[in-house]
Amino acid sequence: MTQFTENPQGGTPPAPVPPAEFGDRQPCLMLVDDDPVVTEVLRVYLQDAGYRELVTISDSTVAAEMARAGQPDLMLLDLMMPKMSGFEVLAALRGERATRHLPVIMLTSATDPENKLRALELGATDLLAKPVDPSELVLRVRNSLAAKAYQDRLAYSDHVTGLPNRGRFLEELDGVLSRARPGGTRNCAVLQVGMDRFKQINDALGYSAGDRVLKELGARIRVYLNGTDGGAPATACTSVARTGGDEFAVLLPHAVSRDEVAQLAAGLRACMAEPMTHFGDSLYVTASVGAALAPEHGQDVDTLLAHAGQALSYAKRRGGDGVEVYSDEIDSWARERLELERDLRAAAAGNALHLEYQPKVDVATGRVLGAEALLRWKHPVRGPVGPGEFIPLAEETGLIVPIGAWVLREACREAGAWHRRGLGDLRVAVNVSARQFQHSNLDQVVACALEQGGLPPRCLTVEVTESLLMEDPEEAARTLNALKDLGVQISVDDFGTGYSSLAYLKRFNVDELKVDRSFVREIPGDEDDAAIVTAVLAMARSLGLKVVAEGVETPAQLAFLTRLGCDQFQGFLFSRAVPSAEFTALVTAPPAVAARAAELRVAT
């Protein structure tokens, strides 16, 4: 039982100096003691010292639960109580995420060091001996609160945006969910906000610029959620935190319906899409938002955040700059994607992937000059999985790096076998992903693949995309030069979909341009596409580059390309991608190839 004394020095106990970090808010204290007389006296001491927010609890068995729900700033806990001792209450507090770091001052008249040591081992912040001196009480409370405020600032604040961080958000969400469990009367919701392609800002403008963008976006979210500037209603009582590199989380503790949450998320996405200024230039950033509601989509922190994260991933997979609320469809997609990732890892480790080769044909003669190596995956249960489905997954998970290295080795091995069979200098083209290209040892991986496959470097073409080259032009130029030093050829894939600049083509050491199939599909009928293809060919001729047209499927397309002087084409008009043995048969059956070439020339 707590004891107390009058202030032995007389006068008024020192007034508290609430830490600046509390702002205008009064810190909330919780006093747990089974003696009502002691409780009342301590309450008077604390209120006289200026602490007005004081919750008193006489039943120690509910202390931990009330602390978790109420989230006080400090607890004064009597050590010796019936039903549940202060030791047991403290242990329960430290076992909960929401109260794990709550400052607790133990009130004890025990003089034996064992009890004091046990309290400290359980995580007591401080010990206050009984009988309680009012001045010492106020000083210890003040110091504990100051320490808590400082630790909170370090542990729970994001240094870039000034917003709460993930740790603080988890604690707030846990506290809200405790009041939204079965039997409660209200719902809550979590929004995960992720920037679309934010990495491009860091890569192009630097991390300092990226930090400024994040700070601006965090401020916009706060303004919108506070209801100012035409944003969300102030009654939303929302919380926002930065929870990851380019992600924010929003807590709506009073969400009512799915439609309300979706509407608020859409408004939030729209306000973040407004242009911002970077050294006089306009900078545009879009965001995707995923939302999950409690208790409909989860009743605990981990489940609700996971489902909001799945909704965010789904929004990004659908192109970004959108809003998705968690649903059964998203759940099925997320589970399928997880299973697909697991199976892709197994396929990559167990050599279950294979290559097919689409012939690259000379426009003038119809002769097969080489092939593009294309990755294929035949799932043991699902059957063939399209590259549009598993290649992005490999990119996101990082599997593309080991898979890409295997593709290089396998393509060089099979092309080396063609070379040793006397099929001439057939050239094999291999796509290199952004993640592969960014690795500093790409030239070593290529050199090793050439050596192991016994393939002359002149017979390998490395294909890269325009966007990949422009992410970091200086580094791209160094990597391309290192590859060129090996003697391989460089091709720019999907040309026309990105920068398509004569200036950057002069800067990079490339040999070939590939016109994207999206421009070939509608020629010669579509005047815009025809003009683009004509311009690409003129640009290439001025720089002495070869041009390959992708996706050629009709004689009319080939006739148009022939008139423009295109060098090579690939597409279903000549052949789909085929296994190595079938590709070899195309090359080693001159009558069939000659007949096919003649057929195409007649058609054009």
Side-chain angles (χ1 to χ4, degrees):
M1 181 180 296
T2 305
Q3 300 179 33
F4 57 92
T5 65
E6 298 296 335
N7 184 2
Q9 284 78 34
T12 304
V17 182
E21 288 81 354
F22 286 103
D24 296 331
R25 180 176 71 86
Q26 272 285 321
C28 178
L29 311 185
M30 183 173 284
L31 171 60
V32 182
D33 196 296
D34 63 306
D35 189 319
V37 175
V38 172
T39 298
E40 176 62 19
V41 172
L42 290 179
R43 184 185 64 80
V44 170
Y45 281 165
L46 292 168
Q47 290 191 342
D48 285 347
Y51 294 104
R52 306 300 181 190
E53 296 292 328
L54 181 62
V55 178
T56 60
I57 300 172
S58 59
D59 183 356
S60 58
T61 62
V62 301
E65 177 63 24
M66 292 188 68
R68 187 171 67 83
Q71 292 291 294
D73 295 296
L74 181 144
M75 177 182 285
L76 294 158
L77 177 62
D78 188 22
L79 185 60
M80 298 301 178
M81 292 180 290
K83 297 183 182 178
M84 192 172 187
S85 71
F87 290 129
E88 294 172 297
V89 173
L90 184 58
L93 292 171
R94 296 306 180 235
E96 289 277 353
R97 175 160 45 192
T99 56
R100 188 170 298 155
H101 304 293
L102 171 66
V104 177
I105 298 177
M106 304 294 291
L107 304 172
T108 176
S109 58
T111 57
D112 57 294
E114 290 80 6
N115 279 330
K116 294 180 179 180
L117 183 60
R118 183 183 175 191
L120 293 172
E121 286 177 341
L122 287 172
T125 308
D126 201 353
L127 298 170
L128 183 59
K130 298 181 293 185
V132 174
D133 177 89
S135 298
E136 185 179 4
L137 169 68
V138 172
L139 286 172
R140 288 186 184 274
V141 167
R142 185 187 69 184
N143 291 342
S144 294
L145 286 173
K148 176 184 184 296
Y150 178 70
Q151 291 170 357
D152 283 354
R153 189 171 71 249
L154 293 179
Y156 294 123
S157 178
D158 173 56
H159 72 282
V160 173
T161 64
L163 294 172
N165 62 11
R166 180 179 178 83
R168 170 59 75 190
F169 186 81
L170 293 178
E171 289 192 359
E172 289 191 20
L173 176 58
D174 188 58
V176 170
L177 287 176
S178 69
R179 298 185 293 275
R181 286 172 180 161
T185 59
R186 23 172 225 174
N187 292 346
C188 69
V190 169
L191 275 58
Q192 293 273 49
V193 183
M195 304 302 104
D196 299 322
R197 295 171 290 279
F198 183 76
K199 182 178 182 297
Q200 294 181 1
I201 294 178
N202 282 334
D203 291 343
L205 303 178
Y207 286 94
S208 295
D211 286 349
R212 288 194 293 273
V213 169
L214 288 171
K215 188 173 183 178
E216 167 69 17
L217 294 175
R220 288 188 184 186
I221 295 175
R222 273 191 295 195
V223 168
Y224 177 79
L225 295 177
N226 285 338
T228 57
D229 228 12
T235 54
C237 298
T238 52
S239 300
V240 59
R242 182 187 175 204
T243 54
D246 61 357
E247 291 190 4
F248 298 87
V250 175
L251 172 60
L252 307 175
H254 298 285
V256 175
S257 69
R258 183 188 187 94
D259 290 343
E260 178 189 51
V261 171
Q263 183 178 2
L264 187 144
L268 180 62
R269 179 196 60 77
C271 85
M272 298 182 74
E274 293 293 324
M276 59 185 70
T277 302
H278 175 71
F279 293 111
D281 294 328
S282 294
L283 185 64
Y284 294 86
V285 179
T286 61
S288 299
V289 184
L293 286 70
E296 178 184 353
H297 301 144
Q299 300 181 43
D300 61 85
V301 170
D302 293 337
T303 301
L304 199 61
L305 283 177
H307 289 169
Q310 288 173 10
L312 172 60
S313 297
Y314 192 72
K316 288 193 171 188
R317 180 58 64 90
R318 290 168 65 89
D321 194 21
V323 173
E324 295 289 342
V325 180
Y326 181 78
S327 63
D328 291 342
E329 178 186 357
I330 291 178
D331 181 69
S332 298
W333 170 82
R335 292 177 184 276
E336 182 178 336
R337 185 174 179 272
L338 187 62
E339 292 174 0
L340 195 65
E341 178 186 342
R342 178 199 63 201
D343 294 344
L344 181 58
R345 289 184 182 278
N351 298 320
L353 303 173
H354 66 280
L355 298 182
E356 291 184 348
Y357 299 87
Q358 184 168 51
K360 297 175 71 173
V361 184
D362 186 279
V363 169
T365 66
R367 186 167 65 92
V368 177
L369 301 179
E372 180 182 358
L374 299 171
L375 184 62
R376 298 291 185 258
W377 178 22
K378 187 175 182 180
H379 192 278
V381 177
R382 298 175 53 177
V385 181
E389 186 174 3
F390 75 85
I391 293 294
L393 182 60
E395 288 272 9
E396 293 173 20
T397 58
L399 282 171
I400 196 67
V401 175
I403 289 175
W406 174 84
V407 170
L408 276 166
R409 292 193 301 271
E410 184 66 7
C412 288
R413 183 188 68 80
E414 294 195 318
W418 305 338
H419 183 76
R420 289 187 291 274
R421 289 184 59 182
L423 300 181
D425 283 350
L426 291 173
R427 189 182 302 278
V428 66
V430 177
N431 291 280
V432 172
S433 74
R435 286 207 177 191
Q436 284 178 279
F437 195 80
Q438 290 161 1
H439 275 233
S440 58
N441 67 337
L442 178 61
D443 58 327
Q444 300 173 29
V445 173
V446 171
C448 183
L450 290 167
E451 182 179 0
Q452 291 180 358
L455 181 68
R458 66 179 182 276
C459 294
L460 174 64
T461 297
V462 173
E463 295 190 0
V464 295
T465 62
E466 286 184 273
S467 58
L468 183 154
L469 294 178
M470 296 309 294
E471 283 188 7
D472 187 344
E474 295 295 334
E475 186 61 31
R478 284 191 289 269
T479 302
L480 291 182
N481 288 334
L483 293 174
K484 290 292 289 183
D485 288 343
L486 296 175
V488 305
Q489 300 283 295
I490 304 296
S491 177
V492 180
D493 196 12
D494 299 336
F495 190 78
T497 61
Y499 299 88
S500 307
S501 165
L502 183 64
Y504 98 74
L505 285 177
K506 291 175 63 177
R507 179 179 187 179
F508 295 122
N509 196 359
V510 302
D511 305 281
E512 175 184 280
L513 303 181
K514 298 188 75 174
V515 182
D516 187 68
R517 66 181 67 248
S518 62
F519 300 117
V520 174
R521 185 181 301 117
E522 300 299 330
I523 62 171
D526 188 290
E527 293 183 0
D528 291 337
D529 286 345
I532 290 173
V533 174
T534 301
V536 169
L537 283 160
M539 185 186 299
R541 275 196 296 270
S542 70
L543 296 173
L545 304 178
K546 294 184 178 65
V547 177
V548 180
E550 297 182 285
V552 178
E553 298 182 355
T554 69
Q557 292 169 344
L558 182 58
F560 181 80
L561 294 167
T562 301
R563 288 195 298 272
L564 291 179
C566 184
D567 298 287
Q568 301 173 34
F569 77 93
Q570 59 187 91
F572 287 178
L573 180 62
F574 186 87
S575 175
R576 61 180 177 84
V578 295
S580 180
E582 291 186 39
F583 173 76
T584 303
L586 283 174
V587 179
T588 56
V593 174
R596 181 60 176 151
E599 178 186 336
L600 291 177
R601 283 197 295 275
V602 169
T604 59

